[in-house]
Amino acid sequence: MSKNNSPYNAGLTGCRYTFHEMNRILPLLMSDDSDVLLKQELIENKYLLIKTEKSRQRTLAELKRRYNSVPRSFWEYYLTLSEDSQKVALLYVILKTYRIALDFHLNVTINKWKSIDQTLTTDDIFMEFNEVACRDEFVNSWTDMTRKKITSSYLTILRQAGMLNEQTNQLSPLKINREDFAYYIKIGETWFLDACLLMPYEIEQIKEYAL
């Protein structure tokens, strides 16, 4: 399977959670002059504050990819949220943007949360990586270094979102107000509540609230 036919990309190697960077760049992405402003930022480095132009170029490309993975209306809603709810929203965007992260989350992280052992390690992710590589030739072509970087990026994203304890590797559910969780039901993305590791009864309560 070629890169063009694969639903996967290795973009996580060059851009992790980048919560503050996304918030600083978001006005540029939402502007009618977005392309011009992003080119200026690549040179001037006023918002990203990343040392090298090559790194800025890679980060801008991934932030733009994330921005385009959801409708503009989502970002308009995002700007109204508290910081905690924005962090949860950014996790949603990342899972929508990177199929490999979504596979990790749905096939490993949620299952680990529902098991007796609620810890998540590099080895757990590597096992899923091998499963994906067996069915996708493009992923199978990735080097060990690429796989390690993507795995590290995914785990870092969970830590910075507040879902994974850095010392113990213990998973924990994300907590924001019920109104903000209800938004995902209203836009037809109920799966994301499960992705936030909410209990079934909590999801049902939020569904009732959303109606």
Side-chain angles (χ1 to χ4, degrees), residues 3-211:
K3 178 179 179 179
N4 290 336
N5 293 328
S6 174
Y8 299 94
N9 68 74
L12 277 180
T13 59
C15 191
R16 295 188 175 186
Y17 191 55
T18 57
F19 172 71
H20 297 293
E21 291 85 347
M22 174 57 91
N23 282 2
R24 290 196 295 266
I25 292 297
L26 187 54
L28 278 61
L29 291 166
M30 296 183 73
S31 170
D32 292 338
D33 297 323
S34 177
D35 289 342
V36 172
L37 294 174
L38 292 176
K39 287 178 181 178
Q40 288 178 350
E41 174 60 19
L42 180 60
I43 298 170
E44 297 174 1
N45 196 27
K46 291 172 59 178
Y47 305 105
L48 283 179
L49 307 178
I50 295 174
K51 185 177 293 185
T52 68
E53 184 172 320
K54 183 177 181 180
S55 295
R56 291 198 296 274
Q57 186 173 29
R58 184 167 59 243
T59 298
L60 282 172
E62 291 307 317
L63 294 181
K64 188 173 182 179
R65 189 202 298 264
R66 294 176 186 185
Y67 177 78
N68 289 329
S69 71
V70 295
R72 179 185 174 87
S73 58
F74 178 89
W75 295 111
E76 292 170 347
Y77 170 73
Y78 176 93
L79 291 173
T80 71
L81 298 173
S82 68
E83 182 172 310
D84 286 344
S85 291
Q86 284 185 341
K87 288 181 176 179
V88 172
L90 185 56
L91 176 63
Y92 167 78
V93 170
I94 289 170
L95 295 180
K96 293 287 285 186
T97 306
Y98 304 100
R99 172 65 182 275
I100 192 69
L102 183 64
D103 281 6
F104 292 160
H105 209 80
L106 298 182
N107 299 334
V108 184
T109 301
I110 292 176
N111 288 337
K112 289 287 286 186
W113 172 247
K114 293 179 178 179
S115 70
I116 296 175
D117 177 16
Q118 295 180 328
T119 61
L120 184 67
T121 66
T122 298
D123 288 343
D124 296 322
I125 302 301
F126 274 158
M127 290 177 64
E128 177 64 17
F129 229 136
N130 290 334
E131 291 291 326
V132 176
C134 285
R135 61 178 185 267
D136 190 288
E137 292 179 11
F138 178 55
V139 174
N140 193 46
S141 72
W142 293 352
T143 65
D144 288 343
M145 181 60 70
T146 295
R147 297 187 191 197
K148 288 178 181 178
K149 285 182 177 179
I150 290 175
T151 298
S152 175
S153 293
Y154 173 70
L155 293 175
T156 297
I157 286 164
L158 295 191
R159 293 186 189 104
Q160 294 182 350
M163 186 175 284
L164 184 65
N165 185 283
E166 188 167 3
Q167 281 73 43
T168 65
N169 294 321
Q170 176 73 31
L171 289 164
S172 60
L174 297 178
K175 297 296 183 182
I176 55 175
N177 66 61
R178 186 171 55 177
E179 179 182 355
D180 291 342
F181 271 135
Y183 171 79
Y184 298 96
I185 293 175
K186 293 175 181 177
I187 64 171
E189 300 281 46
T190 303
W191 66 270
F192 183 62
L193 275 64
D194 199 34
C196 289
L197 309 183
L198 300 188
M199 299 296 290
Y201 78 88
E202 293 177 301
I203 295 174
E204 286 304 314
Q205 289 176 349
I206 295 168
K207 284 181 178 178
E208 292 177 5
Y209 175 82
L211 296 178

